[in-house]
Amino acid sequence: MGSSGKKDALVGGRRVVLAVNGVRHEAAGADLSMSLIEFLRTRTAFRGPKLGCAEGGCGACVVLISKYDPSTEEVNEFSASSCLTLLGSVNLCTVTTSEGIGNTKDGFHPVQQRLSGFHASQCGFCTPGMCMSIFSALVKTDKTAARPAPPQGFSKLTASEAEKAISGNLCRCTGYRPIIDACKSFASDVDLEDLGLNSFWKKGTDHADVSKLPAYISGAICTFPEFLKSEIKSSINQMDNVPIEISDDDGWYHPRSIAELQVLLNSNWFDVKSVKIVASNTGSGVYKEQDLYDKYIDIKGIPELSVINRSSKGVEIGAAVSISKAIDVFLDGNLVFRKIADHLNMVATPFVRNMATVGGNIIMAQRLQFPSDIATVLLAAGSTVTVQVASKRLCFTLEDFLEQPPCDSRTLLLNIFVPDWDSDNVTFETCRASPRPFGNAVSYVNSAFLARISEASPGELLIEDIRLAFGAYGTKHAIKARNVEDFLRGKSVSASVMLEAIKLLKDAISPSVGTTHPEYRVSLAVSFLFSFLSSLASNLNEPARTDRPNGSDANGIMNGDAESSPVKHVKVDIDCLSIRSRQELVSTEEYKPVGKPIKKAGAELQASGEAVYVDDIPAPKGCLYGAFIYSTHPHARIKGIKFRSSLASQKVITVIDAKDIPSGGENIGSTFATLGDEALFADSVSEFAGQNIGIVIAETQKYAHMAAKQAVIEYSTENLEPPILTIEDAVQHNSYFHPPPFLAPKPVGDFSEGMYEADHKILSAEVKLESQYYFYMETQAALAIPDEDNCITVYSSAQMPEATQSVIGRCLGIPFHNVRVITRRVGGGFGGKAMKAMHVASACAIAAFKLRRPVRMFLDRKTDMIMAGGRHPMKVKYSVGFKSDGRVTALHLDLGINAGISPDYSPVMPNAVIGSLKKYNWGALAFDIKVCRTNVSSKSAMRAPGEVQGSFIAETIIEHVASALSADTNTIRRKNLHDFESLKVFFGGSAGEASTYSLVTIFDKLALSPDYQLRAAIVERFNSGSRWKKRGISCVPITYAVTLRPTPGRVSILNDCSIAVEVGGVEIGQGLWTKVKQMTAFVLGQLCPDGGEGLLDKVRVIQADSLSMIQGGWTAGSTTSETSCEAVRQSCGALVERLKPIKEDLEAKSGMVAWGSLIAQATMASVNLSAQAYWTPDPTTASYLNYGAAVSEVEVDVLTGATTILRSDLVYDCGQSLNPAVDLGQVEGAFVQGIGFFTNEEYTTNSDGLVINDGTWTYKIPTVDTIPKQFNVELYNSSRNQKHVLSSKASGEPPLLLASSVHCAMREAIRAARKEFSVCTGQANSPITFQMDVPATMVAVKELCGLDVVEKHLESLLAAKA
């Protein structure tokens, strides 16, 4: 880009100068309010940063930003969310993306190579962000002068820091374990032998040595180019003498003093609706912008707002100081300050803390009721704030400031002062409860406590003064519990004192109306106060078996000598334990390179950000952008759409809706087989909240998204029936879909006879399972380009390109051969890119077809979550009969499935649920299944659809039987596992041969092992000695039926001897391309002297193209890789047959024949070097069973409901794995996704059925800190089965079912807690029998453990004393 107007660019106006990956860019004419990621992706050649959430909550967009201080000659580097960073705020900065540290042309960086080598990239959409988080951590720690030089090849990073380096990054594919290993490989204190499977050395055989890793050299990447340093130095004098401009032409202002800011604030053009004051803009990740702004005032450059002053009285921090910088300041202080730093380290993510300001956080808490941790902690520390109001400077205590009416936009927070509490008689503790121990999740409750104590008598402590702060519990802002403080002053802590304090606290903590889980939040506040006061108590007369709340991140400390600390029971927080793992697998040489754990094809390309996803395709000339307008009403007539008068509304070019469907076209958005269609647009009547009504078309994606927010839809419900939203509503109104008979599951045996034989019966017990969102990292995306003769090409992130082609053709009313759908790769699917992707592709196609211009859509995360549908919610009632020894004789299920508005995949669900339920021999099995049609978004197939629910239902029933008999659950499980004869009765031909039935062997290997027995005994012993933490351990078996489908494949050998392969399947991260490459090399290797391993690099699998490879089917059901491999094997086999005669002829003449010579001769002989096959499975063996089992051990914090997964051991029968590394990744990733379903992910809707947990702030998938602390996986090689593809088996979906072992272990831990405190809540009125639904969130766990256990405990102590 040009460099003219350099002075203006540096000073202000609408131009910004920055370096991107070392290259100068001048953003002349750019809208400075655009995000940095938008600039990078649309104004530069770099697509590495990915837009995953636009909230700073996923890490896909992370870049390294570097700033240069010419006065000190220092460069400061930090990671940042480019989705929240505004272009105008990075003037004279350097931005480094994943392409900037390594790429195809210049070579890949060790971070990228190690991620690839540790098999840490699957779909790859999150990988560039992972790279930059790791690289940023390396840059930061390697510049720490105080640390000793690391051994050669390592960095100064520690293993603990390595794990936390990616604590803010989300990954839905891998399960995090291999990413952690790649990151820890840089740590100076790591034992390389502890790292998992990788391509650098063979585990168990080769010695792990750093020399075998891609060499890491600190400082090898220049983060700030010399030319920009020179430019900055030369501009300093110019900038000093240039006043700020105030004119209608300027859109970005950089005041350099409070006085200059006041001039701007007092200008006649200042309007809070059109002018935004920014320091870092991270608040927009929480409070989304509802309209465009035309002016920005950047206050980050005002020196007074960035001051840091230390004195003997305390620390003064400017309001514009970043949270990360504040953490560094506090870490360099006394123990109280360090505890503040520890707590701040759990606020947001590292790349948000680096940008977000302390003052911005406090202002959001004061003005917008943001549930701030920082405000709570600083409130307890007695902080004060200085505020500028007009020309006055006012000083408030933080408590008084928070109590003020919300300050207006002209009020400026200048600084925060935190007093020094450095005294030997002060104790300080902070607590928070959130779904993620490392942070990156808003607290249910946060608190901070500071007390000055003295020794009243030997062994007895007296509270001289105390400060108790609580926040985030559903209040306007953090508060001090003054009534409790007043009561506690001058007292020694005893059971009676604590009980009274808790009663007073309940009066002070009163969540506002509408707050979710109010009782739980009050209980948390009680638990935190109890925990703190317990550390000060000396005469509770109870065994030393309590500890501070696990998972609540309580961190208590008393200043002074550790020996005088009143904290009695010190132990390492298990949340901070390092993650360990073990992988056991067998690779085979028989079909090499098939069976070898080679790394995923294209992994380095994904890591560098060069892998192209749909939104990475350069925008064609004249491209327009679309965003959906959706209904917020579940059943209403649409009377019209208007747009608010706003800046964003001015960006609307047109609106496309049902009336724009071409004549002869259909209003169809998706279809599945012959089961039914779903409309693309609501046409006069909205049938569910979230239904597409139309598409706003604008010049940019940002404008389209913002303009869609301006739409005001007028509804009418006159003469319409009320919406049906729940399973109960559907039953009442007889609203059902009726699956065709061929999909209906078949009952087994005579239920009445089985119940007659039973010694015991459980009647009408109930369990519920809620929905789950896919959370693929890449949201739905499509690009439609009109072509000649009514043709159109659509690039779609789709699992079903063929079906997408047909839907677009029907929608436009054109022949299917006029529609080309291309899918290169998908950034995560899990079933969500099957049906719903068709809607986006069709919408783009209609708009492009009408406007005759390319149209692109890339859904924002909120819209995607609202429209996705997700997993099917279910309500189950069961009646079961069983013998006294635990053998089940009969089971009946009443199952309600919430299908949503259209059939979608739902007619298949009953068969899937019953299929996985049949893993046990129920004697007789009967069921009544209702597929409910409701006015909510259509539920669709999500990884292991139906099977995961069915398997869990089975475990619920088995555990209920065990509870009723007071028997060991594993004994009941084992007794009801099938023998092969009963397996055939329940599964028919899918049971296969007796030699392939491995479930009993696998289950016994885990559940009957001495290791398990020892661990179970340790758990029991732990629970008997621990009151506030309980552990549970459980072993769960799974059976999963899959069906092979017909699949095409084509293999072509080109003139240069390279090989192009096409298959019907789509690469969605499951390693399809990798396995296909291996199969191609294996079969064609029969023609090569080396057996084909040298062919691997010659094979390229090309993108799915609906006109090139017809009958491609869909990528789903876990079998696409193996069926594609079989189609390729047949295609290659045809080529081998053609080439063999030539090879034999050449060998007869000259001996050994090289691959190149063979192909050259075949070309001269006009041999057809392209072969295609359409493989169809044998109907008698098309369906087969997969087996596995898992042991999980958990620890539940009775005080908070937090659960830590201590260990999970998975054994999964993969058959003869086509690629053990790929299959291992599938097993781990599926398991962790299942953990999210069973424990943490709440896909919540409002009373109209509209999704409200619609972003990373409210929807929490597993992160690096929520996976098992010890994560062991064994790929079990079962006996050979020649009816499978090289004896392989599926791996993508079945292992997800194993995650129910975590839920079952949690039940055991909760049962121990309920027995401890005699909790008898629930219909059964029993401490050991209780309903535990899915997901078992912190709230649910705490409720089951008892919300009042602290009070009960204290009352029991007083009763015992009396």
Side-chain angles (χ1 to χ4, degrees), residues 929-1257:
I929 303 178
K930 293 179 170 59
V931 181
C932 301
R933 184 184 187 275
T934 58
N935 293 104
V936 300
S937 59
S938 298
K939 306 308 169 189
S940 195
M942 181 176 177
R943 199 174 195 171
E947 286 90 354
V948 66
Q949 292 100 325
S951 187
F952 168 77
I953 293 166
E955 293 307 322
T956 298
I957 296 166
I958 288 293
E959 291 193 333
H960 199 161
V961 170
S963 175
L965 294 173
S966 298
D968 173 66
T969 309
N970 279 347
T971 301
I972 305 301
R973 288 189 176 103
R974 181 62 177 81
K975 186 171 288 292
N976 288 286
L977 286 178
H978 289 286
D979 58 24
F980 186 67
E981 293 305 313
S982 66
L983 187 77
K984 288 191 294 183
V985 171
F986 275 72
F987 287 98
S990 299
E993 303 295 330
S995 61
T996 65
Y997 181 45
S998 58
L999 181 59
V1000 174
T1001 302
I1002 291 173
F1003 185 80
D1004 289 350
K1005 179 184 178 72
L1006 288 173
L1008 301 184
S1009 68
D1011 178 65
Y1012 182 88
Q1013 303 303 321
L1014 175 62
R1015 289 170 59 194
I1018 292 173
V1019 165
E1020 186 174 352
R1021 191 160 61 248
F1022 176 90
N1023 288 341
S1024 66
S1026 171
R1027 175 171 286 117
W1028 301 113
K1029 290 177 183 164
K1030 299 294 182 182
R1031 291 183 178 177
I1033 187 169
S1034 184
C1035 183
V1036 168
I1038 65 160
T1039 299
Y1040 194 109
V1042 299
T1043 302
L1044 304 175
R1045 299 184 305 275
T1047 306
R1050 180 189 295 129
V1051 180
S1052 304
I1053 305 172
L1054 307 185
N1055 289 341
D1056 66 345
C1057 307
S1058 62
I1059 304 162
V1061 181
E1062 293 178 81
V1063 292
V1066 175
E1067 175 61 59
I1068 58 176
Q1070 82 282 44
L1072 167 66
W1073 286 1
T1074 310
K1075 290 182 176 180
V1076 164
K1077 286 183 66 172
Q1078 289 174 277
M1079 182 63 78
T1080 303
F1082 161 62
V1083 182
L1084 293 182
Q1086 299 174 50
L1087 303 169
C1088 299
D1090 66 354
E1093 290 200 64
L1095 290 182
L1096 270 175
D1097 292 336
K1098 295 182 180 296
V1099 181
R1100 177 178 291 277
V1101 185
I1102 61 178
Q1103 61 196 13
D1105 184 330
S1106 63
L1107 287 184
S1108 177
M1109 181 60 65
I1110 65 167
Q1111 295 179 288
W1114 56 85
T1115 302
S1118 299
T1119 58
T1120 308
S1121 292
E1122 59 187 294
T1123 57
S1124 294
C1125 281
E1126 187 60 23
V1128 165
R1129 183 163 76 147
Q1130 290 189 357
S1131 300
C1132 290
L1135 290 173
V1136 169
E1137 288 303 309
R1138 296 173 195 169
L1139 292 170
K1140 261 187 178 179
I1142 297 176
K1143 178 176 183 289
E1144 291 169 355
D1145 186 51
L1146 289 173
E1147 285 177 334
K1149 294 177 181 178
S1150 56
M1152 188 176 294
V1153 180
W1155 172 254
S1157 301
L1158 174 62
I1159 301 307
Q1161 185 65 33
T1163 302
M1164 292 177 61
S1166 299
V1167 173
N1168 182 0
L1169 294 180
S1170 181
Q1172 180 168 337
Y1174 186 68
W1175 179 70
T1176 55
D1178 181 345
T1180 63
T1181 59
S1183 179
Y1184 65 85
L1185 301 180
N1186 297 268
Y1187 308 107
V1191 171
S1192 287
E1193 182 179 349
V1194 304
E1195 184 172 292
V1196 166
D1197 187 334
V1198 179
L1199 291 173
T1200 67
T1203 299
T1204 300
I1205 307 172
L1206 300 176
R1207 177 174 166 180
S1208 289
D1209 296 85
L1210 283 55
V1211 178
Y1212 180 70
D1213 183 354
C1214 231
Q1216 306 294 310
S1217 173
L1218 298 177
N1219 184 320
V1222 168
D1223 288 335
L1224 174 69
Q1226 290 294 288
V1227 171
E1228 291 178 332
F1231 182 78
V1232 171
Q1233 192 172 89
I1235 289 174
F1237 173 58
F1238 284 112
T1239 67
N1240 212 42
E1241 297 180 35
E1242 295 182 279
Y1243 203 21
T1244 309
T1245 62
N1246 65 12
S1247 59
D1248 288 324
L1250 184 71
V1251 171
I1252 53 176
N1253 281 12
D1254 53 15
T1256 58
W1257 276 91

Side-chain angles (χ1 to χ4, degrees), residues 98 101 109-122 126-135 166 174 176-186 197-200 213-214 599-600 603-604 606-608:
S98 52
I101 67 170
H109 190 273
V111 170
Q112 297 162 338
Q113 293 172 314
R114 295 191 193 185
L115 280 168
S116 172
F118 277 94
H119 312 291
S121 181
Q122 289 187 22
C126 73
T127 313
M130 293 283 182
C131 276
M132 295 314 297
S133 286
I134 298 170
F135 178 73
I166 57 166
T174 65
Y176 299 101
R177 194 277 311 161
I179 303 175
I180 295 168
D181 280 352
C183 198
K184 286 164 71 172
S185 72
F186 292 94
L197 178 71
N198 62 80
S199 61
F200 307 116
L213 292 169
K599 62 185 180 183
K600 184 179 182 294
E604 286 99 343
Q606 293 174 176
S608 69

